[in-house]
Amino acid sequence: MVLALLVSGIVVLLVLLGLFVFGLRRRLIQRSGGTFDCSLRWDVTEPAADPPGKGWVYGVSRYSGDRIEWFRVFSYAVRPRRTLERDAIEVLERRAPHGDEELALLSDAVVLRCALRGTLLELAMSEDALTGFLAWLEAAPPGQRVNVA
């Protein structure tokens, strides 16, 4: 009985420690400011009539100079999973979520179909985050191309 209580206590302690580290990581990412919630779907095929809701990964993006660092929310990694450079992003299309995507994304999400060095990707973010993202893209230093459709 005592052993079972000890093991249960250790398991609860480890779960709480894991949740604490998980929250601490999110705080460290957001500490420098310039972050927004952004779901990502990487290496998307050509648009279909009714895009499936599969492939979306919920994340947090952070502006860092001329690039955006994208972190998975449900991860312990301290490094960004993807880095999107401003001069390599080309916005192809803006649309509302369709079908199963409405369940996979946040309720107020807007989907941007983009190209990044030949790779198609989709970003889903709120309308406010989209405004900031497009302003960031258009605020490129002189001499850099702007790829906003």
Side-chain angles (χ1 to χ4, degrees):
M1 180 70 174
V2 174
L3 182 61
L5 287 174
L6 181 63
V7 170
S8 298
I10 291 173
V11 168
V12 168
L13 183 65
L14 289 175
V15 167
L16 291 175
L17 181 64
L19 290 174
F20 174 77
V21 171
F22 191 69
L24 180 64
R25 173 188 171 267
R26 173 106 183 202
R27 282 284 194 203
L28 290 175
I29 290 170
Q30 293 179 326
R31 180 180 61 186
S32 63
T35 61
F36 58 98
D37 292 334
C38 178
S39 296
L40 172 75
R41 184 157 58 171
W42 188 260
D43 203 14
V44 180
T45 58
E46 288 301 316
D50 186 24
K54 295 181 182 179
W56 286 105
V57 181
Y58 186 60
V60 174
S61 293
R62 176 175 65 190
Y63 295 107
S64 179
D66 283 339
R67 64 178 182 255
I68 287 182
E69 298 171 332
W70 183 84
F71 300 84
R72 291 177 65 125
V73 166
F74 302 108
S75 171
Y76 290 108
V78 293
R79 292 187 178 181
R81 178 74 174 218
R82 302 278 183 200
T83 301
L84 312 173
E85 296 178 15
R86 181 179 2 216
D87 62 347
I89 300 171
E90 181 179 354
V91 177
L92 304 174
E93 176 188 2
R94 174 184 171 169
R95 64 178 176 80
H98 300 296
D100 291 340
E101 284 183 325
E102 293 176 3
L103 301 173
L105 300 174
L106 295 174
S107 62
D108 63 343
V110 177
V111 178
L112 281 182
R113 179 177 289 273
C114 302
L116 180 75
R117 292 190 183 95
T119 301
L120 287 176
L121 62 112
E122 290 182 332
L123 300 169
M125 60 190 82
S126 70
E127 193 71 44
D128 292 339
L130 175 65
T131 301
F133 178 77
L134 294 177
W136 174 79
L137 275 179
E138 293 174 357
Q144 287 187 351
R145 62 187 174 117
V146 177
N147 303 311
V148 177

